[in-house]
Amino acid sequence: MTESFKASDLIITPATTFKEKPDPSGLVFGTVFTDNMLTIEWSLASGWEKPYIKPLENLSLHPASSSLHYAVELFEGMKAYRGVDGKIRLFRPTLNMDRMARSARRATLPCFDQNELLECIRKLVEVEKEWVPYSTAASLYIRPTLIGTEPSLGVKKPTRALLYVILSPVGPYFASGSFNPISLWADPKYVRAWKGGTGDCKLGGNYGSSIYAQQEALELGCQQVLWLYGEDHQITEVGTMNLFLYWINEDGENELATPPLDGIILPGVTRQSILDLARNWGEFKVSERYITMSDLTAALEENRVKEMFGAGTACIVCPISKILYKGKHLHIPTMENGPQLTTRFLNKLSDIQYGREDSDWAMLVS
């Protein structure tokens, strides 16, 4: 019984026929995939099998597989970037591995050695290095996935699982381009996550159940949902992103605020990086605190709001310009204020990702 697979056991039988690489400027998020994938099987009886890098192919699953019926599955989202020096980098990938291990525990899926998985992913990206776009406006999205393949309709911890990683070259996440502001729909009738739930893990069920609300937001002329929680309408997340507010707080201080990791917020890698940068700069107060819609509307009325933005791997940062709440359009003056801070975070993080600036947050692939 093997506790974890080993990257040193990796068996590589790569594709011999190759797809044409797409033009980076015309990429639609997550629609084009590379020639190869990583797969690692697990069973209760024999533990982890050897990891394989092999041609991308469809999965063969028993129709009773627990991932298909009970959403016993999870995923991660990370990227490989081709730097201005031609080198390929990953951005703080150990944080993704930590989060994936936490999600696996919550989903009763098997544990693994995070360093071994990261090395397998590094090898996969190395095999697919020509798929990392030659562009600083595009990247190679990495989607590690772990699914229960228990061939039984019993609602129970799976005795079989499959870990796989697929790669997809991507351009800007939002169709509107990489730095156009978005409008949000805030309505408490739909909830993304709740105390004691799975909102702090990257489980597919969190995302599938959000699509209905997202459709309603689009019908109302908004691009994303601003997820509210509780009787006091706490602001939690925006779409699939963490949320930041840069404002003059109730005490008259310049403050960058984001909701705390209390179990309903996904601990984003970009979120953590923004907090780390801002605390390191030491130029304004940085808080993980609750913010309600009444806090926000009061601050807007008193002209205390400077910038509001979403943050995530797919988009880095995304400015917010409008919120539809209780039938009213609230104007958020993000773009009128530069947006100085949002732009500063975007530039700093992309400089590290694309190798314009040295940082121990960047891990070299090759």
Side-chain angles (χ1 to χ4, degrees):
M1 169 83 176
T2 48
E3 290 294 302
S4 183
F5 48 85
K6 298 270 188 287
S8 56
D9 293 334
L10 190 59
I11 297 162
I12 304 178
T13 52
T16 51
T17 57
F18 305 108
K19 289 177 283 202
E20 196 179 335
K21 313 284 187 295
D23 178 349
S25 63
L27 290 166
V28 176
F29 182 83
T31 55
V32 176
F33 295 93
T34 68
D35 298 306
N36 295 283
M37 68 193 296
L38 169 73
T39 64
I40 318 167
E41 294 197 34
W42 175 87
S43 68
L44 185 61
S46 50
W48 288 102
E49 305 293 332
K50 289 182 177 178
Y52 278 85
I53 289 175
K54 61 184 185 184
L56 182 79
E57 62 182 16
N58 292 341
L59 303 179
S60 177
L61 295 176
H62 190 283
S65 289
S66 51
S67 55
L68 302 178
H69 294 266
Y70 308 125
V72 182
E73 50 78 57
L74 60 99
F75 67 96
E76 262 307 321
M78 49 202 288
K79 285 178 172 180
Y81 307 85
R82 188 178 298 278
V84 291
D85 54 0
K87 292 177 180 168
I88 296 169
R89 292 171 176 81
L90 303 177
F91 181 73
R92 305 190 83 175
T94 56
L95 295 182
N96 295 94
M97 296 296 99
D98 291 345
R99 186 171 65 186
M100 188 168 177
R102 287 197 304 273
S103 297
R105 276 196 296 278
R106 187 67 174 83
T108 70
L109 285 162
C111 296
F112 52 87
D113 185 307
Q114 292 146 242
N115 292 325
E116 297 294 337
L117 177 56
L118 183 52
E119 180 55 21
C120 289
I121 290 172
R122 195 191 66 76
K123 284 276 197 343
L124 177 64
V125 174
E126 206 167 42
V127 167
E128 299 289 56
K129 60 180 183 285
E130 283 309 306
W131 280 93
V132 183
Y134 285 81
S135 162
T136 53
S139 53
L140 185 66
Y141 186 78
I142 303 167
R143 174 54 68 94
T145 310
L146 179 53
I147 64 172
T149 53
E150 173 73 30
S152 154
L153 295 176
V155 182
K156 60 183 181 178
K157 183 176 177 174
T159 62
R160 305 187 69 85
L162 172 67
L163 196 166
Y164 65 92
V165 182
I166 52 178
L167 308 175
S168 173
V170 294
Y173 184 68
F174 294 105
S176 60
S178 55
F179 210 60
N180 289 335
I182 58 165
S183 56
L184 309 179
W185 176 54
D187 191 307
K189 72 175 172 176
Y190 301 118
V191 179
R192 190 196 82 89
W194 49 91
K195 296 280 170 72
T198 58
D200 57 347
C201 296
K202 214 160 171 65
L203 307 186
N206 295 344
Y207 295 78
S209 57
S210 74
I211 296 169
Y212 188 76
Q214 171 64 19
Q215 283 304 112
E216 196 162 328
L218 291 171
E219 284 163 18
L220 292 164
C222 300
Q223 286 153 293
Q224 295 280 330
V225 178
L226 178 59
W227 298 102
L228 305 179
Y229 181 75
E231 295 298 309
D232 55 352
H233 297 181
Q234 288 168 31
I235 294 169
T236 63
E237 295 195 6
V238 45
T240 59
M241 299 178 285
N242 292 119
L243 179 122
F244 283 88
L245 174 65
Y246 183 49
W247 68 338
I248 298 166
N249 69 14
E250 304 88 341
D251 301 324
E253 304 162 300
N254 282 347
E255 178 182 57
L256 179 68
T258 193
L261 299 180
D262 62 353
I264 65 168
I265 302 293
L266 187 76
V269 175
T270 309
R271 175 190 182 277
Q272 189 59 52
S273 303
I274 286 170
L275 289 172
D276 291 344
L277 285 175
R279 285 173 178 145
N280 191 39
W281 293 339
E283 296 167 23
F284 43 80
K285 187 173 184 179
V286 180
S287 304
E288 294 173 72
R289 55 163 283 181
Y290 294 105
I291 308 157
T292 64
M293 282 305 294
S294 58
D295 293 335
L296 179 64
T297 49
L300 286 169
E301 281 164 19
E302 295 162 17
N303 289 322
R304 291 189 283 112
V305 174
K306 295 169 182 273
E307 299 176 39
M308 197 172 181
F309 58 92
T313 294
C315 64
I316 307 186
V317 292
C318 178
I320 294 160
S321 60
K322 196 170 69 176
I323 298 172
L324 176 56
Y325 176 62
K326 293 184 173 175
K328 282 190 186 153
H329 288 281
L330 306 177
H331 177 70
I332 313 296
T334 307
M335 300 313 280
E336 290 88 319
N337 287 310
Q340 287 182 345
L341 192 60
T342 312
T343 306
R344 189 175 169 191
F345 284 127
L346 176 68
N347 292 342
K348 183 75 173 175
L349 291 170
S350 56
D351 281 352
I352 293 169
Q353 290 162 348
Y354 290 101
R356 289 184 288 258
E357 183 179 317
D358 277 335
S359 168
D360 55 9
W361 286 358
M363 176 184 148
L364 281 177
V365 171
S366 60

